[in-house]
Amino acid sequence: MAREQSNERMEKLVSLCKRRGFIYQSSEIYGGINGFWDYGPLGAELKRNVKDLWWRHIVHQRDDVVGLDATIIMAPRVWEASGHVDTFSDPMIDCKTCKGRFRADQIHEIPCPQKPSKMVSECHGEKTEPRAFNLMFTTHVGPVQDDSSLAYLRPETAQAIFVQFKNVLETSRQKVPFGIAQIGKAFRNEVTPRNFTFRSREFEQMELEFFIKPDEVIEAIHGRVAVPEGKGHPGEPQPDWGWQMWHQYWVEERIRFYESIGLPRASLEEYWQTPEELAHYARATVDILYQFPFGTQELEGIAARSDFDLSQHERYSGKPMKVFDDQLRAAWKELPEEKRQALWQRYYEARLGYLTRSGVDASEAGEMARADADALAKGQYIPHVIEPSAGVDRLVLALLANAYSEVTETDDKGRTETRVILRFHPRVAPIKVGVLPLLRNKPDLVRKAREVRDLLRPHLTVFYDDSGSIGRRYARQDEAGTPYCVTIDFETLGEKDPALKDTVTVRDRDTAEQVRVKIDELPAWLLERVR
Amino acid sequence: MAREQSNERMEKLVSLCKRRGFIYQSSEIYGGINGFWDYGPLGAELKRNVKDLWWRHIVHQRDDVVGLDATIIMAPRVWEASGHVDTFSDPMIDCKTCKGRFRADQIHEIPCPQKPSKMVSECHGEKTEPRAFNLMFTTHVGPVQDDSSLAYLRPETAQAIFVQFKNVLETSRQKVPFGIAQIGKAFRNEVTPRNFTFRSREFEQMELEFFIKPDEVIEAIHGRVAVPEGKGHPGEPQPDWGWQMWHQYWVEERIRFYESIGLPRASLEEYWQTPEELAHYARATVDILYQFPFGTQELEGIAARSDFDLSQHERYSGKPMKVFDDQLRAAWKELPEEKRQALWQRYYEARLGYLTRSGVDASEAGEMARADADALAKGQYIPHVIEPSAGVDRLVLALLANAYSEVTETDDKGRTETRVILRFHPRVAPIKVGVLPLLRNKPDLVRKAREVRDLLRPHLTVFYDDSGSIGRRYARQDEAGTPYCVTIDFETLGEKDPALKDTVTVRDRDTAEQVRVKIDELPAWLLERVR
């Protein structure tokens, strides 16, 4: 029953998205293309707002994060270093009878194309053993199509940040701890795209790589490493924070962000990955989940990735990824010998662990780890990283699902009507204000309404609408999620009460309450409420 | 000589872009990948500003344009309809000796890879005849790689607009004339990427498709078609405008846009394509050119594309692309019979021309054109389109080239130094204001400076810098193109003159003049100058 309700809610949402121009199927007139979705006029604005707010929150409002805008196609060696060429795959089974290809873990739930009464696992078709199917889209760069020109569409935006780490460090006047943020498209050739835009083949990510000092460095400089003392936001970053503090900080910052754009904390869950689920290099990963109509699913993952990524690119590119830290160098000189040895040893073991897990030959790994630990003693290290990685499309879908509500109203003739109100936080609403002349055939009203529109437009997204009854126009804006409607009426013209001249009615989407505001105070009045 | 100066200017610009974090080579640590460029912290902000300003100008400031955000990978049939599968190609020649592949029109200028003293055209290698090489990147969607899963990375953003035209029309409450705008990545597998970011393989476009009524419809409704009476901006759009007025309008609007972000009109040229250069469906195309250091090259093309694109998609998808126009239907009924016949005939011939040029069989084309003309008489037609299509990366490069200037200064010890000032228009400048405490070791100055930073940050991109002499910090911001620097000094603290308490020095990048502004008036003072 609960499931049926969810399906019904989801169907209504998908239908609204199409009907109001939030989301269409890509290439719909050609029958669509599975796993690809386009954003229509309202959807494009909603998505823009989400990305802008993330960028402002993560980059503009901070001193310690800068942006990057890298290409989707990169040198293929990037994806060898990142591990995607070898391990970013699903096991697939081919059926030699029907020529279908199926995910090995789904053959019990997918009907046989030739005999749909049976599942693929039960049908008589001869099947191959599972084989790894890489999820990266491939292409060829340059005029010749062969192995040498093979390239990939990035499956994540993160790697470009690691690859350009040194360039950014050297040109941005930043020092560790600092972060690099990027928003952009990524592609995964999902075998089974599903749940509307939630799991699609082309999607957009908002990723931050926040580079921090290894705990051994913090301890060498500050004598201790601050660790979380409980739950909740740990406050302003401090120099003695180790990776656990930074990780908790970013989890809490990200939840604050979601709250700031209208997702109630109660609709979010934190899920700590178990040791078995964690990638071998990850220290901890927290997924922030949202209660979608189709189930509670991931919006964002915040991973403490150790120094794995930069280390991989250092090994694969042969270009040093270490930073020099004069505080560390100075502090190291002052450390007692046994402390030095203890820190050297711990760092050595961490590096050795990384190297051996990454397949480096044992004898070579020992030598390399020793060199790394010796470098530490001279003030050099590869930064660790905390990675908050969010999906734009998922967030847009969560905002739509969260905003969706229905009201049933009975008019004075006794007719009842159920209509949709999208209760977006004003910050993300595609249109901030509707401007409505009471009547379209009164030139004075229309002239004044256009003045109001032109007054607001430099500051806010405005929708001007003069067709239909005022009630219908309110309803249309409710359905688009517009938080305020401004109506220009005869009072505005001063025809009834001179005191009301040059005032307008402002209607609140959620309460339907109306207040009168002076036109010259209107931009500030609205801006205060929608920012 | 002029050429050498240009090369030198270009080299300096490329070097500055790397040094200050505007633009890096993609995947640089892996030796790069030819034709792909990443934007660093300053470049990412500059590019963001350009795209935001375009979107505000084209979408938010108007009632008659809405946005779209479609996928890069679309159904492959889209590119058959658009003509890209058949004709978007360069002729290539293979050398059987060295296995190289070369553009047929460049073999006289490219040295032989094996014998660089000779050009490819002169060497002894056995060459093939020229063959068409399609410039679209290909990939495969889904788990099976065969012809049925072939897909393309879009070579332009425009087609998605045509493909979603009906969805947008039906969900956005727009009527022709109106436009759909899109910003996004596009890909062309250029054989010879060159001129830094100007011709790259992955790039970003800002495209508007502005849909208008065919001239026959205008004439039926208004009795006449307004045509340009001279050069210059034709003013506010009028109902009786034909395609020529709309075309001129958009050319002038786009030039105004470029002027509004700092490209002087004198640096731009209008180039009208000759009849031989025009695509067969185009009525007119104006290229807006900018005087780049490497030559005068296209920033944007504004094409009057007739009804070609929507007609193609109507034919290929079988989905109607016609709109119904009640004004036309009403007007048609009132027309004298000979006028009806004349308009019917003109429309019939235009449609027949399109159909036969598009390869439709003559007898079939006649029947289809007749049906189209009959539909016109009932108020239905396929809209024509004006397409202003701009390249983001080219514009960013033009803004950098335009902003680049050097000053040579002699200090009081007689040392001369040449340094770079990027004289960006404040609207596009990556950082709007530098906030600089006079000294970093005076807690009162630092505290006050941070207050000022936090006061400005909600409104503007701020760079806080406390390291080095104030002169060096000014110079750093000049080189980043920051229009204003705010210095917090002892006057700010009220230590010298109580009247100057809570005022700051604001320095202008271009004049180096300094004025004192009250802190509480600072946000408004700056916003007025940078918006």
Side-chain angles (χ1 to χ4, degrees):
Chain A
M1 182 60 194
R3 187 175 193 99
E4 274 168 35
Q5 277 179 350
S6 302
N7 286 347
E8 196 197 323
R9 244 186 92 208
M10 199 59 203
E11 273 166 33
K12 282 180 173 179
L13 186 60
V14 172
S15 151
L16 177 87
C17 283
K18 167 80 189 282
R19 178 159 49 87
R20 287 309 308 256
F22 282 97
I23 300 171
Y24 316 123
Q25 198 180 7
S26 169
S27 315
E28 190 187 299
I29 60 170
Y30 291 103
I33 174 168
N34 192 10
F36 295 86
W37 299 93
D38 292 351
Y39 292 83
L42 291 181
E45 297 295 338
L46 176 58
K47 199 175 162 201
R48 269 178 65 84
N49 290 342
V50 164
K51 291 192 287 180
D52 274 0
L53 287 162
W54 187 89
W55 194 264
R56 285 167 59 93
H57 183 81
I58 295 280
V59 183
H60 288 174
Q61 305 284 3
R62 307 179 61 100
D63 281 332
D64 58 358
V65 177
V66 295
L68 181 72
D69 180 4
T71 53
I72 289 167
I73 294 176
M74 295 193 276
R77 188 94 173 130
V78 170
W79 307 108
E80 295 172 22
S82 70
H84 285 84
V85 169
D86 283 341
T87 62
F88 192 61
S89 55
D90 283 337
M92 303 293 293
I93 282 172
D94 285 331
C95 175
K96 294 179 183 172
T97 308
C98 76
K99 310 289 179 203
R101 183 169 279 179
F102 310 95
R103 255 177 67 176
D105 58 348
Q106 294 178 342
I107 55 172
H108 303 284
E109 28 180 304
I110 297 177
C112 166
Q114 295 192 338
K115 209 172 189 173
S117 62
K118 297 197 166 187
M119 294 295 138
V120 169
S121 56
E122 304 159 337
C123 76
H124 294 299
E126 194 194 336
K127 320 261 181 357
T128 63
E129 288 297 300
R131 279 185 296 211
F133 168 72
N134 197 290
L135 295 180
M136 285 194 291
F137 284 95
T138 58
T139 189
H140 291 273
V141 174
V144 182
Q145 291 217 354
D146 61 17
D147 285 355
S148 74
S149 64
L150 182 74
Y152 304 96
L153 307 192
R154 65 181 175 198
E156 59 172 44
T157 59
Q159 291 304 319
I161 296 177
F162 299 122
V163 168
Q164 294 290 13
F165 169 72
K166 268 299 181 89
N167 267 337
V168 173
L169 181 75
E170 283 159 13
T171 61
S172 67
R173 306 188 59 74
Q174 292 286 347
K175 280 183 185 173
V176 177
F178 81 102
I180 305 175
Q182 182 171 224
I183 299 178
K185 285 273 176 96
F187 297 79
R188 292 182 191 177
N189 199 358
E190 297 284 351
V191 177
T192 323
R194 62 179 175 275
N195 288 333
F196 198 26
T197 57
F198 182 81
R199 188 173 302 280
S200 49
R201 284 166 166 162
E202 176 175 338
F203 53 98
E204 204 154 8
Q205 291 187 305
M206 307 186 285
E207 295 196 303
L208 167 67
E209 304 299 329
F210 196 85
F211 299 97
I212 58 173
K213 302 182 187 192
D215 279 6
E216 293 81 4
V217 172
I218 298 292
E219 194 170 330
I221 296 172
H222 300 283
R224 64 184 289 273
V225 178
V227 293
E229 286 173 9
K231 295 206 162 201
H233 197 292
E236 282 299 293
Q238 301 300 326
D240 64 353
W241 279 12
W243 72 264
Q244 286 175 292
M245 289 297 284
W246 276 112
H247 186 241
Q248 179 164 340
Y249 170 83
W250 278 113
V251 170
E252 295 295 328
E253 279 288 301
R254 297 303 301 139
I255 289 175
R256 280 189 182 180
F257 173 74
Y258 289 119
E259 291 186 289
S260 78
I261 59 172
L263 295 184
R265 183 124 191 172
S267 71
L268 303 172
E269 288 176 25
E270 271 178 51
Y271 175 77
W272 286 73
Q273 290 190 9
T274 62
E276 296 75 42
E277 290 170 311
L278 281 179
H280 68 80
Y281 46 79
R283 298 274 173 90
T285 297
V286 171
D287 292 337
I288 299 179
L289 314 178
Y290 174 76
Q291 293 159 7
F292 287 97
F294 48 80
T296 299
Q297 295 273 355
E298 184 188 341
L299 270 187
E300 166 156 0
I302 298 117
R305 296 176 62 88
S306 74
D307 55 5
F308 173 76
D309 306 277
L310 289 179
S311 299
Q312 287 290 101
H313 288 296
E314 179 170 282
R315 285 204 299 127
Y316 276 73
S317 72
K319 300 289 192 304
M321 290 291 164
K322 294 184 175 64
V323 300
F324 175 74
D325 188 324
D326 44 15
Q327 262 194 303
L328 169 62
R329 191 180 153 113
W332 194 271
K333 289 183 184 154
E334 305 300 321
L335 289 180
E337 182 58 26
E338 72 264 40
K339 186 76 181 173
R340 282 191 209 173
Q341 278 183 14
L343 288 174
W344 189 100
Q345 188 66 24
R346 263 170 52 201
Y347 195 70
Y348 166 80
E349 280 164 18
R351 294 298 298 165
L352 190 64
Y354 152 70
L355 290 162
T356 49
R357 281 193 306 272
S358 303
V360 176
D361 186 72
S363 66
E364 210 188 334
E367 209 169 302
M368 288 165 73
R370 199 165 297 120
D372 288 339
D374 288 345
L376 185 80
K378 290 178 188 141
Q380 290 187 331
Y381 57 85
I382 294 181
H384 284 225
V385 73
I386 308 291
E387 176 190 88
S389 166
V392 178
D393 309 83
R394 291 173 174 200
L395 179 49
V396 166
L397 187 56
L399 291 169
L400 280 161
N402 183 68
Y404 190 94
S405 64
E406 292 178 350
V407 288
T408 302
E409 285 161 349
T410 307
D411 68 11
D412 44 16
K413 289 175 188 129
R415 287 176 302 213
T416 63
E417 190 194 34
T418 297
R419 58 187 189 84
V420 173
I421 303 183
L422 287 183
R423 300 188 192 277
F424 288 127
H425 191 291
R427 285 198 181 105
V428 298
I431 302 164
K432 304 301 187 208
V433 56
V435 173
L436 323 173
L438 186 64
L439 299 169
R440 72 192 300 184
N441 56 1
K442 298 286 174 194
D444 286 353
L445 287 177
V446 168
R447 195 178 311 118
K448 202 75 189 173
R450 290 196 176 143
E451 277 176 34
V452 171
R453 174 196 68 186
D454 295 342
L455 175 74
L456 297 177
R457 191 163 261 164
H459 311 286
L460 298 159
T461 47
V462 177
F463 192 89
Y464 181 86
D465 190 0
D466 62 9
S467 74
S469 75
I470 203 78
R472 285 189 64 82
R473 281 183 269 165
Y474 285 152
R476 278 202 290 265
Q477 292 307 314
D478 286 350
E479 208 180 47
T482 307
Y484 297 101
C485 280
V486 168
T487 302
I488 290 80
D489 51 24
F490 292 108
E491 277 86 350
T492 313
L493 302 178
E495 290 186 8
K496 300 197 170 175
D497 177 355
L500 293 179
K501 188 169 191 300
D502 287 328
T503 65
V504 290
T505 299
V506 185
R507 174 183 174 274
D508 182 293
R509 175 196 65 203
D510 296 333
T511 63
E513 276 173 21
Q514 307 196 353
V515 294
R516 282 206 86 86
V517 178
K518 285 185 189 158
I519 288 175
D520 54 10
E521 290 169 7
L522 193 57
W525 192 96
L526 286 166
L527 281 173
E528 199 181 300
R529 285 160 176 83
V530 305
R531 270 199 181 150
Chain B
M1 183 59 193
R3 186 175 193 101
E4 274 168 35
Q5 277 178 349
S6 302
N7 286 347
E8 197 196 324
R9 245 185 93 209
M10 198 59 205
E11 274 166 32
K12 282 180 172 178
L13 186 60
V14 172
S15 149
L16 176 87
C17 282
K18 168 80 190 282
R19 178 159 51 86
R20 287 310 307 258
F22 281 97
I23 300 170
Y24 316 122
Q25 200 181 6
S26 168
S27 317
E28 190 189 299
I29 61 171
Y30 291 104
I33 173 167
N34 192 10
F36 296 86
W37 300 92
D38 291 350
Y39 291 83
L42 290 181
E45 297 295 339
L46 176 59
K47 200 175 163 202
R48 268 177 66 82
N49 291 342
V50 165
K51 291 192 286 181
D52 274 0
L53 288 162
W54 187 89
W55 194 265
R56 285 167 58 92
H57 183 81
I58 295 281
V59 184
H60 287 175
Q61 306 282 4
R62 305 180 64 99
D63 280 333
D64 58 358
V65 177
V66 295
L68 181 73
D69 180 4
T71 53
I72 289 167
I73 295 176
M74 295 192 274
R77 188 92 172 132
V78 171
W79 307 108
E80 294 171 23
S82 70
H84 285 83
V85 169
D86 281 342
T87 62
F88 193 60
S89 55
D90 282 337
M92 303 292 294
I93 282 171
D94 285 332
C95 176
K96 294 179 183 172
T97 309
C98 77
K99 310 288 179 202
R101 182 169 281 179
F102 311 95
R103 255 176 67 174
D105 59 345
Q106 293 179 343
I107 56 173
H108 302 285
E109 24 178 310
I110 297 176
C112 167
Q114 296 193 338
K115 207 168 189 174
S117 63
K118 296 198 166 185
M119 294 297 139
V120 169
S121 56
E122 305 159 335
C123 75
H124 294 298
E126 195 193 334
K127 319 265 184 348
T128 64
E129 287 298 299
R131 280 185 296 211
F133 167 72
N134 196 290
L135 295 180
M136 286 194 290
F137 284 96
T138 58
T139 189
H140 292 272
V141 174
V144 182
Q145 291 216 355
D146 61 17
D147 285 355
S148 73
S149 64
L150 181 74
Y152 304 97
L153 306 192
R154 66 180 175 200
E156 60 174 40
T157 59
Q159 291 304 319
I161 296 178
F162 299 122
V163 168
Q164 295 290 13
F165 168 71
K166 268 299 181 88
N167 268 336
V168 174
L169 181 74
E170 283 158 14
T171 62
S172 69
R173 304 189 60 74
Q174 292 286 346
K175 280 184 185 171
V176 175
F178 81 102
I180 306 175
Q182 181 169 227
I183 299 178
K185 285 276 177 92
F187 296 79
R188 293 182 188 177
N189 199 359
E190 298 283 352
V191 177
T192 322
R194 61 179 176 274
N195 289 332
F196 197 25
T197 57
F198 181 82
R199 189 173 300 280
S200 49
R201 285 167 166 160
E202 178 177 337
F203 53 99
E204 205 153 8
Q205 290 187 306
M206 308 186 283
E207 294 195 302
L208 167 67
E209 303 300 328
F210 195 84
F211 299 97
I212 58 173
K213 302 181 188 194
D215 279 7
E216 292 80 5
V217 172
I218 298 292
E219 195 171 329
I221 297 172
H222 299 282
R224 63 184 288 274
V225 177
V227 293
E229 286 175 6
K231 295 206 164 199
H233 197 293
E236 283 298 295
Q238 300 300 325
D240 64 351
W241 279 12
W243 72 264
Q244 286 174 293
M245 289 297 284
W246 277 112
H247 186 241
Q248 179 163 338
Y249 170 83
W250 278 113
V251 170
E252 295 296 327
E253 279 289 300
R254 298 301 303 137
I255 290 175
R256 280 190 183 178
F257 172 76
Y258 289 120
E259 290 186 289
S260 77
I261 60 172
L263 295 184
R265 183 125 191 169
S267 71
L268 302 172
E269 288 177 24
E270 271 178 52
Y271 176 76
W272 286 73
Q273 289 190 9
T274 62
E276 297 74 43
E277 290 170 310
L278 281 179
H280 68 80
Y281 46 81
R283 298 273 173 90
T285 297
V286 171
D287 292 337
I288 299 179
L289 314 177
Y290 174 77
Q291 293 158 6
F292 287 98
F294 48 80
T296 300
Q297 297 273 355
E298 184 188 341
L299 272 187
E300 167 156 0
I302 297 117
R305 296 175 63 87
S306 73
D307 55 6
F308 173 76
D309 307 277
L310 289 179
S311 300
Q312 287 289 103
H313 288 296
E314 179 169 283
R315 284 204 300 128
Y316 277 71
S317 72
K319 299 287 193 302
M321 290 292 165
K322 294 184 176 64
V323 300
F324 174 73
D325 188 322
D326 44 14
Q327 262 195 302
L328 169 61
R329 191 179 152 113
W332 195 270
K333 289 183 186 157
E334 305 300 319
L335 288 180
E337 181 58 29
E338 72 265 39
K339 186 75 180 176
R340 284 190 206 173
Q341 278 184 15
L343 288 175
W344 189 99
Q345 187 66 25
R346 261 169 53 201
Y347 195 69
Y348 166 80
E349 279 164 20
R351 294 298 298 165
L352 189 66
Y354 152 70
L355 290 162
T356 48
R357 281 192 307 271
S358 302
V360 176
D361 185 72
S363 66
E364 209 187 334
E367 209 169 304
M368 290 165 73
R370 200 165 298 120
D372 289 340
D374 288 345
L376 185 80
K378 291 177 188 142
Q380 290 187 331
Y381 55 85
I382 294 181
H384 284 225
V385 72
I386 308 291
E387 177 191 87
S389 166
V392 178
D393 309 83
R394 290 173 176 200
L395 178 49
V396 166
L397 187 57
L399 291 169
L400 280 161
N402 184 68
Y404 189 95
S405 65
E406 293 178 347
V407 287
T408 302
E409 285 160 350
T410 308
D411 69 10
D412 46 13
K413 288 173 187 132
R415 287 176 300 213
T416 64
E417 190 195 34
T418 297
R419 61 189 187 85
V420 174
I421 303 183
L422 286 183
R423 302 187 192 277
F424 288 127
H425 191 291
R427 287 199 180 104
V428 298
I431 303 164
K432 305 298 186 209
V433 56
V435 173
L436 324 171
L438 186 64
L439 299 169
R440 71 192 301 181
N441 56 1
K442 300 285 175 196
D444 287 351
L445 287 177
V446 168
R447 194 176 315 118
K448 202 77 190 169
R450 289 193 178 147
E451 278 175 33
V452 171
R453 175 196 67 185
D454 296 342
L455 175 73
L456 297 176
R457 192 164 262 165
H459 311 286
L460 298 160
T461 48
V462 178
F463 193 90
Y464 181 87
D465 189 0
D466 62 7
S467 73
S469 75
I470 202 79
R472 285 190 64 82
R473 282 183 270 164
Y474 284 151
R476 279 202 289 265
Q477 291 307 315
D478 286 349
E479 207 180 48
T482 307
Y484 297 101
C485 280
V486 168
T487 302
I488 289 80
D489 52 23
F490 292 107
E491 277 87 349
T492 312
L493 303 179
E495 289 187 7
K496 300 199 168 170
D497 176 353
L500 292 179
K501 189 168 191 302
D502 288 327
T503 66
V504 290
T505 299
V506 185
R507 173 182 174 275
D508 182 292
R509 174 196 67 202
D510 296 333
T511 63
E513 275 172 22
Q514 306 196 353
V515 294
R516 284 205 84 87
V517 178
K518 286 185 188 159
I519 289 175
D520 54 11
E521 291 169 5
L522 193 56
W525 192 96
L526 286 165
L527 281 173
E528 198 181 303
R529 286 163 176 81
V530 305
R531 272 198 180 151

